[in-house]
Amino acid sequence: MRITVIGTGYVGLVTGASLAYLGHQAVCVDVNEEKIKLLKSGVMPLWEPGLESMIRDVELQGRLDYSTDVSASVPVSDAVFLTLGTPSSESGEVDLSALWSVVRSIAPMLHRDTLLIIKSTVPAGTCEQIEAYLHQQFPASASIAVAHNPEFLRQGSAVRDFLAPDRLVFGASRPEAHHRLEEIYAAIQSPVIKCGLREAELIKCASNAFLAMKISYANMMSDLCDALGISVDAVAEGMGLDRRIGSEFLRAGAGYGGSCFPKDLRALIALAAKEHLDMELLKATEAINRQRVQVICRRLEGIFGSLEDKQITIYGLAFKPNTDDTREAPALRISSMLQEAGARIRAYDPVVAGLPDRQVDVDTDMYEAADGSDCVVIVTDWDQFNRLDWGRLRQVMRSPYIFDARNMLDIAVMTENCKRYGLHYMSLGRPSIAPDVPLTID
Ligand SMILES: NC(=O)c1ccc[n+]([C@@H]2O[C@H](COP(=O)([O-])OP(=O)(O)OC[C@H]3O[C@@H](n4cnc5c(N)ncnc54)[C@H](O)[C@@H]3O)[C@@H](O)[C@H]2O)c1
C-alpha cells in the first residue's frame, strides 16, 4: 500500500519506517525542513534503539522516502497517517492546532478511497469532528473514512513495540475503515480491538492515565515505607506477583515525565470536566507526581542543611532510559529546584548532549561530571549506571553521597560498595546505607 505519514517525530518516524519494513511504500512528511534534510542525508534526528538500522534497510529497498510537501504523496496514497504532536495548552486541554491545520490543508487532496488515520493521541470526540468536517466541507468526497489507531509504543523500545504490540486498536465508524486497517497491519500478530472512534480515543488516554496512577501509587507507598523504616522493594514485589496487579510500573522513584503521561492525564481531567465530572483519582496522581521533586530536594537538604554552594551531579536527563527526549523530564524540575536552593548543577546523560536555555553543564564523561560533587543523583535509570566504577567515582567526588532516585541499584551490591569505598547510598522507600567509616562533609 502507498502510505503517507504526516508529522515525522518519535511516533511518525517509527510508524513510517515500520510500515515500510512491513512491505508498504511509505513517505514521511514534516514541516521541519532541517529534519527532512537530515533524514535525506542519512542523519537521524532522534535517538531510538534499532530505528536507524531498520531505516537503512528499508531505504535500500526503496520503500521509505521523506518530504516537506504533502501534495506529492497524499493524492496518490491509500492511507494517510497523522502523527502530529498534540501538546497541552495552558488550560490543560489538548492543543489540536497542528492536527487541524494539516486536516484542512490535505482535505482537498484526499480521494474517495483514501483512509485518513489519526494516530496522534486526541480527546474523545476529535476524530468524529474531523470526519464530520470532511463530509461537510467536501460533499464530493463524502465517502472518505476516518479511523483512529492510537499508538502505544514506548520511547526506548519503540520499534519492538510497534512491530509486536500488546494489542492493536482500530477505531472507526465504518466497516471498510476497519478492514483497511486490517490490511495495513496484516503482517503483525496481535490481538485487535475493533471499536468506534471515541472508544479508541479513550482507550489510549485511559491506559496512560492508569499507568501513571500505578507509578504514583508506588511512590505514595514508598513515602510510607520511608516513614516506617521498611523497604518498598519487598512491598512492590509482594504486590506485583498478584496477577491482578502485575509488577510493571510499581517501582518507586522520581516520578513520571515525558510527552505523554503528563499531558494525557491533564487532557482526561479537562475532558471529564466538560462533562461535569471530577477525576479526583487522576488529580491525586498528578499531585503525588509533582511532589516527587520536593521529596528528593528535601532529602538532600536533610543531609546538607543548606544547599548553598553544594555541587550536585544529575545522572540522566531524559525522562526515561534509551531515549534523548527530555520533554517534562523529572531531571529538569529537580535541577531547577536545586538551583533555586543555591546548588550548582552538573549533569551527565549517555545521549542528551545539552539542555538549551538551562544553566546546567552537561559533561560527556560521567566521572568528569561528578568531579568535586557533593552528591550524585541518579534520575534516569540507564543500565550503564549499574556498571559504575564506584571507587573511581568516590575519588573524584567531594562528599560521598549517592542518591538513587530510581531505586535502580541493588541494595546488596550497594551495601558492599558503601563498605568498600566509604559511600553513603540513599534511595526512595528503602533504608539508607552508610559506610562503616564516619562521614565527613567537606
Ligand atoms: N512519543 C511517544 O512516546 C508517543 C507514544 C504514543 C503516542 N504518542 C502521541 O503521538 C503524537 C506524536 O507524538 P511525538 O512524540 O511523535 O511528537 P513529536 O513532537 O516528536 O513529533 C511531531 C512532529 O510533527 C511535526 N509537525 C508539526 N506541525 C506539522 C505540520 N503542519 N505538518 C507536518 N508536520 C508537522 C513536527 O515538526 C514534529 O516533527 C502525539 O499525539 C503523542 O501524544 C506519542
Side-chain angles (χ1 to χ4, degrees):
M1 253 185 242
R2 284 163 304 178
I3 292 174
T4 301
V5 180
I6 305 178
T8 307
Y10 284 89
V11 171
L13 189 56
V14 171
T15 299
S18 303
L19 291 172
Y21 177 80
L22 294 176
H24 301 296
Q25 194 68 37
V27 180
C28 284
V29 180
D30 205 283
V31 274
N32 185 330
E33 291 180 7
E34 183 60 29
K35 190 180 271 192
I36 295 301
K37 211 156 83 187
L38 283 178
L39 283 162
K40 277 182 175 286
S41 61
V43 180
M44 291 292 289
L46 52 88
W47 197 87
E48 182 61 46
L51 183 58
E52 186 168 6
S53 64
M54 186 168 76
I55 283 181
R56 298 290 160 259
D57 280 357
V58 291
E59 281 175 348
L60 272 177
Q61 291 159 22
R63 288 209 298 271
L64 180 62
D65 204 355
Y66 314 98
S67 177
T68 50
D69 180 14
V70 283
S71 68
S73 60
V74 168
V76 293
S77 286
D78 303 298
V80 175
F81 279 85
L82 302 191
T83 49
L84 288 311
T86 49
S88 286
S89 65
E90 291 276 301
S91 65
E93 285 183 52
V94 181
D95 176 356
L96 295 169
S97 53
L99 186 71
W100 272 105
S101 113
V102 170
V103 168
R104 288 191 192 96
S105 70
I106 64 168
M109 302 172 201
L110 298 170
H111 61 83
R112 291 165 65 89
D113 297 323
T114 315
L115 179 62
L116 180 62
I117 304 161
I118 316 298
K119 203 177 235 319
S120 300
T121 305
V122 292
T126 308
C127 293
E128 282 180 359
Q129 285 166 10
I130 292 173
E131 197 165 51
Y133 168 82
L134 290 176
H135 293 176
Q136 278 162 17
Q137 298 289 314
F138 304 96
S141 58
S143 70
I144 291 170
V146 173
H148 185 49
N149 168 223
E151 183 50 59
F152 299 94
L153 64 78
R154 295 161 296 177
Q155 287 172 228
S157 55
V159 173
R160 195 176 62 223
D161 291 345
F162 190 98
L163 295 172
D166 288 344
R167 77 296 208 189
L168 286 164
V169 175
F170 299 160
S173 56
R174 297 196 222 159
E176 63 265 30
H178 283 136
H179 183 61
R180 177 71 55 86
L181 280 163
E182 278 169 337
E183 287 175 342
I184 292 170
Y185 287 101
I188 289 183
Q189 299 292 316
S190 137
V192 174
I193 311 286
K194 282 191 253 174
C195 56
L197 287 166
R198 278 187 289 167
E199 279 123 1
E201 289 163 331
L202 195 55
I203 287 171
K204 170 66 192 176
C205 281
S207 302
N208 273 1
F210 189 84
L211 293 173
M213 191 183 71
K214 236 179 142 185
I215 292 171
S216 279
Y217 189 89
N219 283 327
M220 182 181 75
M221 282 303 141
S222 92
D223 287 349
L224 181 59
C225 288
D226 262 334
L228 297 174
I230 59 175
S231 170
V232 75
D233 286 352
V235 176
E237 191 186 358
M239 285 173 63
L241 286 171
D242 184 328
R243 272 172 296 178
R244 293 169 303 176
I245 298 173
S247 58
E248 288 194 59
F249 287 75
L250 271 189
R251 192 160 74 194
Y256 60 79
S259 68
C260 291
F261 283 11
K263 75 144 168 99
D264 291 350
L265 230 75
R266 287 194 285 268
L268 260 189
I269 292 169
L271 177 75
K274 281 190 179 160
E275 303 298 328
H276 310 290
L277 289 171
D278 192 4
M279 298 272 107
E280 286 176 71
L281 195 53
L282 301 188
K283 287 180 181 171
T285 298
E286 277 189 323
I288 292 167
N289 197 56
R290 270 196 305 273
Q291 284 157 14
R292 299 318 290 160
V293 175
Q294 286 148 22
V295 167
I296 290 164
C297 293
R298 271 203 304 270
R299 283 282 290 277
L300 290 174
E301 281 167 346
I303 302 169
F304 297 112
S306 164
L307 290 178
E308 205 62 50
D309 287 330
K310 291 286 174 280
Q311 183 181 306
I312 309 289
T313 298
I314 306 273
Y315 272 6
L317 292 168
F319 77 98
K320 63 187 289 196
N322 299 315
T323 181
D324 58 357
D325 193 348
T326 56
R327 289 179 286 185
E328 300 216 27
L332 307 189
R333 293 198 301 277
I334 291 170
S335 60
S336 296
M337 191 172 266
L338 292 174
Q339 276 173 332
E340 275 164 32
R344 276 174 293 116
I345 305 295
R346 289 179 75 169
Y348 165 77
D349 187 284
V351 291
V352 180
L355 293 175
D357 308 329
R358 277 174 200 263
Q359 292 177 334
V360 174
D361 292 328
V362 182
D363 286 279
T364 51
D365 180 280
M366 55 183 159
Y367 300 99
E368 244 166 62
D371 193 12
S373 232
D374 295 293
C375 182
V376 165
V377 186
I378 298 174
V379 186
T380 313
D381 45 342
W382 281 90
D383 190 38
Q384 73 179 82
F385 301 144
N386 273 307
R387 298 187 295 276
L388 270 158
D389 179 342
W390 295 102
R392 186 174 164 198
L393 189 68
R394 176 65 193 101
Q395 267 178 357
V396 298
M397 289 176 69
R398 184 164 64 165
S399 314
Y401 293 96
I402 308 294
F403 191 165
D404 175 4
R406 289 289 174 194
N407 286 8
M408 67 171 287
L409 301 170
D410 186 85
I411 285 283
V413 171
M414 288 315 292
T415 305
E416 195 50 42
N417 285 323
C418 287
K419 258 195 214 146
R420 187 174 300 162
Y421 304 115
L423 290 165
H424 187 116
Y425 174 77
M426 297 165 292
S427 48
L428 292 156
R430 313 193 296 181
S432 295
I433 306 165
D436 286 344
V437 289
L439 284 175
T440 50
I441 299 173
D442 304 322

